[in-house]
């Protein structure tokens, strides 16, 4: 078992009952002019001022943690834009911008280096991605984020347990602390069939465990909180992360719009805390306005007991499926062939 070294996130967790993470990177960048199909990671060079504004928006709204603009910063994803040879510099500069924003904030802010999935399917599931190549890609990205001054690495929106394991191994090679979240977007399971309870088992067995783990993105805030309750039921050893979307996506006048209001996300934040999450943030659709409302609610509303599913549904909307899969009733998604873009 790897001993977790002292780090900024662990220090902050030791002094607080909850931490506020950031909101949506993609939503914010699209609002700044990013076009569909563009690689947002290139904006770290082309529009440094906008990436600075992205990070500063979360900090000014009260976030204790923000993620770098590097979700697709691995060689496999960047190859789609002929950027596979720029992995280290892209990740390094994104973290450098984040470090500058955090250090100017006047309070302790954690810069988390975002590491998304490779976009490839693992070989034993019918794809082409080997464990060794996944570790190599994650390690390359991790070294760039480390060189730029990231406090921790933050692996997010993962679907396959094998890819999660590869990230853990890569982060050990980089000698960096990390957090990890999966997306439970298929009737309470990940796209590759993992339940909340199975992720807890996986995390508990890792030789290089994360500082914290949890769920991000998915279908909606209600589903995500049901997953958080599943984590807590399974008895995790680490703090739990909840980063839910701001409502449900709808196509409005040519754009994806999330219908979650700041008031709804304030309710979500407190329900996430009551469900057992320690690190609470937003994912798609979550803006600084949402974050401000979440921070205010967490600071002023007393902690309550773990909510019933009916309470969650009444406050945030119904669930997308009857079961979250932990009772054996949920479907197991067959392995997909091809690429997935988050």
């Amino acid at each position: 078992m790897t001993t977790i070294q002292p780090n900024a996130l662990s220090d902050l967790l030791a002094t607080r009952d909850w931490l506020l993470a950031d909101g949506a990177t993609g939503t914010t960048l699209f609002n700044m002019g990013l076009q569909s199909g563009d690689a947002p990671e290139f904006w770290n060079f082309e529009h440094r001022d906008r990436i600075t504004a992205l990070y500063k928006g979360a900090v000014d709204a009260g976030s204790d943690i923000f993620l770098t603009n590097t979700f697709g910063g691995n060689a496999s994803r960047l190859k789609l834009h002929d950027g596979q040879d720029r992995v280290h510099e892209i990740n390094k500069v994104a973290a450098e911008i984040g470090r500058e924003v955090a250090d100017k904030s006047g309070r302790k802010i954690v810069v988390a280096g975002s590491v998304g999935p490779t976009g490839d399917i693992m070989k034993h599931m019918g794809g082409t991605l080997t464990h060794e190549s996944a570790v190599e890609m994650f390690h390359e990205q991790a070294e760039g984020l480390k060189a730029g001054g990231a406090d921790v690495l933050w692996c997010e929106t993962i679907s396959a347990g094998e890819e999660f394991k590869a990230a853990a191994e890569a982060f050990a090679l980089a000698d960096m602390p990390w957090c990890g979240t999966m997306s439970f977007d298929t009737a309470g399971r990940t796209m590759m069939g993992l339940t909340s309870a199975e992720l807890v088992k996986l995390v508990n067995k890792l030789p290089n465990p994360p500082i914290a783990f949890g769920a991000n993105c998915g279908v909606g805030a209600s589903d995500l909180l049901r997953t958080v309750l599943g984590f807590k039921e399974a008895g995790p050893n680490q703090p739990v992360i909840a980063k839910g979307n701001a409502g449900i996506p709808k196509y409005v006048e040519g754009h994806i719009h999330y219908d979650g209001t700041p008031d709804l996300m304030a309710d979500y934040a407190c329900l996430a805390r009551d469900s057992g999450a320690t690190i609470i943030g937003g994912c798609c659709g979550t803006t600084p306005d949402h974050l401000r409302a979440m921070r205010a609610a967490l600071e002023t509303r007393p902690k309550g007991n773990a909510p019933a599913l009916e309470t969650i549904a009444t406050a945030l909307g119904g669930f997308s499926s009857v079961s979250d899969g932990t009772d054996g009733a949920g479907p197991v998604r067959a392995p997909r062939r091809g690429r997935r873009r988050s």
Side-chain angles (χ1 to χ4, degrees), residues 21 31 54 58 67 84 91 94 100 110 125 131-132 168 205 221 225 251 268-270 315 340:
N31 289 339
L54 166 73
L67 275 59
Q84 65 272 22
N91 286 275
E100 182 178 337
V110 174
M125 302 184 80
H131 176 80
E132 292 75 17
K205 292 179 180 179
L225 293 190
Y251 199 68
Y268 147 79
C270 292
R340 181 189 183 195

Side-chain angles (χ1 to χ4, degrees), residues 17-328:
D17 293 331
W18 54 266
L19 299 177
L20 184 67
D22 61 357
T25 296
T27 300
T28 304
L29 295 184
F30 279 120
N31 289 339
M32 290 179 175
L34 183 72
Q35 298 299 305
S36 179
D38 289 347
E41 291 76 21
F42 290 167
W43 272 30
N44 297 324
F45 300 99
E46 298 166 359
H47 298 290
R48 186 184 179 107
D49 58 330
R50 299 182 195 180
I51 303 306
T52 298
L54 166 73
Y55 298 160
K56 193 171 184 298
V59 171
D60 291 348
S63 294
D64 302 296
I65 305 162
F66 67 81
L67 275 59
T68 57
N69 178 41
T70 52
F71 177 82
N74 62 68
S76 180
R77 283 180 175 269
L78 288 174
K79 187 176 182 180
L80 300 174
H81 307 277
D82 198 30
Q84 65 272 22
D85 296 327
R86 304 182 67 188
V87 172
H88 189 275
E89 63 171 329
I90 283 173
N91 286 275
K92 181 174 181 288
V93 74
E96 287 174 343
I97 299 169
R99 185 76 273 146
E100 182 178 337
V101 170
D103 291 347
K104 288 181 177 179
S105 69
R107 59 191 178 92
K108 183 172 286 188
I109 302 291
V110 174
V111 179
S114 174
V115 177
T118 64
D120 297 324
I121 304 298
M122 298 298 294
K123 190 170 184 180
H124 77 281
M125 302 184 80
T128 60
L129 182 66
T130 64
H131 176 80
E132 292 75 17
S133 60
V135 170
E136 182 180 358
M137 279 191 279
F138 286 138
H139 184 209
E140 181 182 26
Q141 187 175 6
E143 292 291 354
L145 291 164
K146 179 180 180 179
D151 294 303
V152 299
L153 304 176
W154 193 287
C155 189
E156 56 175 334
T157 326
I158 303 298
S159 295
E162 292 76 11
E163 201 164 8
F164 203 81
K165 293 176 184 177
E169 184 175 330
F171 300 159
L173 291 174
D175 193 26
M176 282 288 286
W178 67 289
C179 297
T181 60
M182 285 189 161
S183 181
F184 295 80
D185 54 7
T186 310
R189 295 173 179 260
T190 72
M191 184 179 69
M192 294 305 178
L194 269 73
T195 66
S196 55
E198 288 167 343
L199 177 55
V200 173
K201 291 179 182 178
L202 188 160
V203 167
N204 287 344
K205 292 179 180 179
L206 286 174
N208 177 37
I211 295 172
F213 78 97
N216 78 293
C217 203
V219 180
S222 294
D223 281 45
L224 188 133
L225 293 190
R226 183 172 62 178
T227 296
V228 170
L229 290 171
F231 292 148
K232 298 304 290 186
E233 179 68 22
N237 295 325
Q238 296 87 2
V240 168
I241 300 166
K243 288 198 77 186
N245 294 339
I248 305 297
K250 296 181 180 179
Y251 199 68
V252 180
E253 298 181 354
H255 298 281
I256 297 297
H257 172 74
Y258 285 80
D259 63 4
T261 64
D263 285 344
L264 180 140
M265 290 302 284
D267 291 341
Y268 147 79
C270 292
L271 287 168
R273 176 193 60 190
D274 297 347
S275 298
T278 301
I279 300 175
I280 301 161
C283 203
C284 301
T286 307
T287 68
D289 286 341
H290 294 98
L291 293 172
R292 274 187 281 273
M294 293 162 65
R295 178 94 193 193
L298 287 167
E299 288 180 337
T300 57
R301 300 184 196 177
K303 188 178 186 305
N305 296 324
L309 295 181
E310 294 78 7
T311 301
I312 293 173
T314 298
L316 306 178
F319 301 97
S320 67
S321 61
V322 174
S323 168
D324 68 351
T326 56
D327 56 4

